């Protein structure tokens, strides 16, 4: 449902955006390029100006899970624009550093803005990259878990 609302309108007219869609299921648009192997996804994300992060409707509703695509694209140093998921805001970007929109019109406007304003897009990419590298890597998570287990009295038996 959300892909139909957020992504498919960007595919028409053909050629307005340089869209390439990859996935394991066929899309009903000429921009669909087929399945992408894991080894090539990083290169594709790194070469993209913008990588959309669109979540399933239940994630928008309940906000408890976030796509790994958000973080994968950020560390590939590309611009990520997401639909609104409370967990993404609350748990990872509490100062609203990542752009999230709860309607396709504002989402599409943000895409147009960043395609036209390269300096702003690069600043946004670098800001998100620094946040993820400093606060949201596996190493950081393991250290947090170990600190909870070792030093938080609630977790001691």
């Amino acid at each position: 449902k959300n892909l139909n609302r957020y992504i498919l309108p960007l595919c028409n007219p053909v050629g307005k955006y340089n869209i390439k869609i990859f996935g394991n299921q066929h899309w009903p648009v000429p921009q669909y390029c087929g399945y992408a192997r894991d080894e090539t996804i990083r290169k594709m994300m790194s070469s993209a100006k913008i990588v959309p992060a669109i979540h399933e409707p239940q994630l928008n509703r309940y906000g408890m899970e976030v796509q790994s695509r958000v973080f994968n694209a950020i560390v590939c140093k590309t611009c990520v624009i997401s639909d609104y998921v409370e967990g993404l805001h609350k748990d990872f970007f509490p100062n609203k550093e990542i752009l999230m929109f709860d309607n396709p019109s504002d989402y599409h406007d943000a895409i147009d803005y960043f395609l036209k304003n390269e300096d702003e897009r690069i600043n946004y990419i670098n800001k998100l990259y620094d946040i993820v590298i400093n606060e949201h890597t596996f190493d950081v998570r393991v250290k947090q878990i170990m600190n909870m287990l070792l030093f938080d009295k609630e977790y001691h038996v």
Side-chain angles (χ1 to χ4, degrees), residues 10 66 99:
L10 297 171
V66 175
L99 293 174

Side-chain angles (χ1 to χ4, degrees), residues 42-103:
R42 178 178 48 87
K43 291 177 185 174
M44 288 188 291
M45 282 188 183
S46 295
S47 71
K49 289 186 179 179
I50 297 174
V51 171
I54 303 299
H55 297 78
E56 296 290 333
Q58 66 271 17
L59 300 180
N60 299 124
R61 228 175 287 128
Y62 304 114
M64 296 171 36
E65 185 180 340
V66 175
Q67 285 183 349
S68 62
R69 169 193 304 269
V70 171
F71 300 97
N72 294 342
I74 290 171
V75 298
C76 285
K77 291 211 121 178
T78 192
C79 181
V80 176
I81 302 175
S82 180
D83 56 346
Y84 186 81
V85 176
E86 185 175 344
L88 188 56
H89 163 66
K90 188 176 112 185
D91 299 329
F92 300 102
F93 300 99
N95 297 316
K96 299 182 179 179
E97 300 93 344
I98 193 166
L99 293 174
M100 292 187 289
F101 299 96
D102 58 7
N103 69 72

Side-chain angles (χ1 to χ4, degrees), residues 11-23:
C11 295
N12 291 304
V14 173
K16 180 177 179 184
Y17 302 100
N18 185 14
I19 295 175
K20 305 284 186 277
I21 297 174
F22 296 89

Side-chain angles (χ1 to χ4, degrees), residues 100-156:
M100 292 187 289
F101 299 96
D102 58 7
N103 69 72
S105 178
D106 290 342
Y107 187 89
H108 298 156
D109 289 346
I111 289 172
D112 288 337
Y113 176 82
F114 277 116
L115 288 175
K116 291 176 186 167
N117 296 283
E118 183 177 1
D119 290 342
E120 292 291 323
R121 186 175 72 242
I122 291 169
N123 289 337
Y124 173 68
I125 290 167
N126 289 331
K127 179 174 70 170
L128 291 180
Y129 179 83
D130 289 343
I131 291 168
V132 169
I133 290 301
N134 292 315
E135 300 175 25
H136 303 301
T137 63
F138 288 114
D139 288 342
V140 170
R141 274 310 160 258
V142 168
K143 286 176 187 172
Q144 289 172 336
I145 291 168
M146 293 305 293
N147 281 331
M148 277 193 306
L149 292 172
L150 295 172
F151 302 112
D152 192 333
K153 294 179 187 198
E154 287 182 34
Y155 293 98
H156 287 112

